[in-house]
Amino acid sequence: MNQPHPRLPEFKYYQPKSSKEAVDFLDKHADQSRPYAGGTDCFNQVRDRRILPQYLVDLKSIGGFRDIKFDPKKGLTVGAAVPLNEIIFHPKVKQHYPVLIDAAREVGGYQLRNRATLVGNLCNASPCGDTIGPCLVYLSKVHIVGPGGKRKVDLKDFFEGPGKTSLKPGEIVESISFPIPPAGAKGAYQSIGRNKFGDLAIAAVTVLGYEKKDNPSGYEFLLTLTAVAPTVIFANLAQDILRMQPITHSILEQAAAACSEACKPIDDIRSSARYRRDMIRMLALRGLEETCKLLNLPL
Ligand SMILES: Cc1cc2nc3c(=O)[nH]c(=O)nc-3n(C[C@H](O)[C@H](O)[C@H](O)COP(=O)(O)OP(=O)(O)OC[C@H]3O[C@@H](n4cnc5c(N)ncnc54)[C@H](O)[C@@H]3O)c2cc1C
């Protein structure tokens, strides 16, 4: 009988205790090593022979990588090895970044989220990564360390294509940071999959809205679209529509249509491109309606 899941191939395990140890090792074994945190993407890729590293570098024991820190002025910092469930149940995340929690809850099942990390979801760079949209609308930054030292990148500049990031050989992400969101910001994460539990998103929309007196509409809305382009994208035209005109239900419909226009979806095993485009319009409208309700904005 064919084995649907072949066994893991042989590899060597390395467990650094500091970022420097990790970076030195990854730099020395550049083409033969791979870092991982939860391993929920990485081990599947190794099992399926999509990657065949000689060394797997476990980042979970690095000092500070399991920390979540919150500062009322600077915002939130999440270490690279913090599992999603710790983020979901953190009171400060709940208070200040609720849309991130809504999206993190969509990742797999409860057991998976005890293992899978936020930074792993970003570094995997799947166009359907559930947490990417919220991290984008909350204007997060990725903190990177590598052979050339430390650097900080806006998350919007981190993704280069499906499975591709701007990380250079030997570099790892140490943490992700989020500024304090604008006062009164509210938002929503709307996604659809083939089933209700644990499937990757066919399409998803993240919305974050807040009052901005300088804008002709009096509001600013940030919108991202997931699983409908090579990377998660901002819906720029929809954002402009919501910035320039008084917010009415008809304007929300126009913005939702602009989201659908902004998609570059593909046909694949989980959905047709056309269905994805239609779902984006529906999810964007739902997300905007929900956000306006939370903002007490009459339509
Ligand atoms: C059954 C199942 C269901 C799933 N459902 C969903 C879902 O609904 N939604 C969703 O978005 N995802 C889903 N996933 C994918 C996966 O669980 C998530 O992407 C998860 O957040 C990855 O985190 P991790 O810590 O396990 O990543 P890992 O597997 O440890 O790493 C993922 C990738 O990032 C790299 N990496 C990890 N950490 C670092 C770092 N600090 N610096 C540099 N590179 C790094 C690794 O080399 C690897 O390429 C599912 C996976 C499984 C197995």
Side-chain angles (χ1 to χ4, degrees):
M1 194 176 96
N2 282 338
Q3 275 193 305
H5 292 309
R7 286 182 187 171
L8 280 175
E10 291 277 325
F11 61 86
K12 293 190 182 101
Y13 173 81
Y14 180 63
Q15 191 180 38
K17 294 283 186 289
S18 68
S19 289
K20 183 174 179 332
E21 272 180 38
V23 166
D24 286 349
F25 190 90
L26 289 162
D27 190 31
K28 189 170 165 204
H29 303 282
D31 294 328
Q32 307 138 16
S33 58
R34 189 87 174 196
Y36 78 94
T40 61
D41 279 313
C42 185
F43 277 91
N44 287 348
Q45 290 159 5
V46 173
R47 181 199 62 198
D48 297 342
R49 274 71 176 166
R50 278 181 276 152
I51 54 171
L52 277 171
Q54 205 180 328
Y55 302 97
L56 283 177
V57 178
D58 180 353
L59 304 177
K60 287 194 290 298
S61 300
I62 296 180
F65 273 35
R66 294 293 300 258
D67 295 349
I68 304 187
K69 289 182 194 152
F70 180 78
D71 179 294
K73 290 208 178 86
K74 290 186 193 147
L76 180 76
T77 304
V78 178
V82 176
L84 289 170
N85 271 346
E86 278 183 34
I87 299 168
I88 289 168
F89 294 113
H90 197 285
K92 293 294 180 191
V93 183
K94 194 171 175 186
Q95 188 182 347
H96 296 279
Y97 310 92
V99 186
L100 177 60
I101 295 186
D102 292 346
R105 279 189 199 282
E106 295 293 324
V107 178
Y110 184 86
Q111 288 91 337
L112 183 107
R113 296 192 295 268
N114 274 340
R115 193 87 192 161
T117 64
L118 176 62
V119 169
N121 197 233
L122 305 179
C123 290
N124 195 51
S126 163
C128 51
D130 274 302
T131 66
I132 296 174
C135 291
L136 284 169
V137 300
Y138 283 127
L139 307 180
S140 65
K141 286 184 195 297
V142 178
H143 298 254
I144 297 169
V145 62
K150 294 194 188 240
R151 64 190 180 99
K152 212 163 45 176
V153 174
D154 287 341
L155 187 68
K156 70 177 170 41
D157 301 322
F158 185 62
F159 302 106
E160 294 188 341
K164 289 204 184 87
T165 67
S166 63
L167 285 174
K168 300 188 189 101
E171 285 189 329
I172 56 170
V173 174
E174 291 191 299
S175 60
I176 173 166
S177 67
F178 303 79
I180 298 285
K186 304 282 181 213
Y189 183 68
Q190 289 283 341
S191 75
I192 188 163
R194 283 177 303 182
N195 56 48
K196 208 161 164 36
F197 301 104
D199 197 22
L200 291 171
I202 285 175
V205 174
T206 310
V207 184
L208 190 74
Y210 51 92
E211 258 189 271
K212 193 167 181 194
K213 297 230 156 35
D214 301 346
N215 286 351
S217 73
Y219 288 87
E220 179 79 11
F221 285 85
L222 299 178
L223 282 121
T224 60
L225 314 178
T226 297
V228 289
T231 63
V232 178
I233 52 170
F234 276 101
N236 293 319
L237 180 58
Q239 293 180 170
D240 286 346
I241 291 170
L242 294 158
R243 198 173 286 136
M244 297 313 292
Q245 304 184 58
I247 305 296
T248 60
H249 198 267
S250 146
I251 287 298
L252 299 194
E253 283 172 342
Q254 278 183 42
C259 287
S260 180
E261 286 298 309
C263 298
K264 296 179 188 73
I266 54 165
D267 293 310
D268 71 5
I269 188 168
R270 284 180 292 116
S271 169
S272 68
R274 185 177 156 192
Y275 185 68
R276 284 195 157 101
R277 206 186 286 282
D278 288 348
M279 288 304 101
I280 282 289
R281 182 198 290 254
M282 183 270 290
L283 295 168
L285 186 58
R286 272 193 199 164
L288 285 167
E289 286 170 346
E290 191 182 329
T291 304
C292 288
K293 200 169 166 194
L294 291 168
L295 288 168
N296 290 323
L297 208 166
L299 295 174

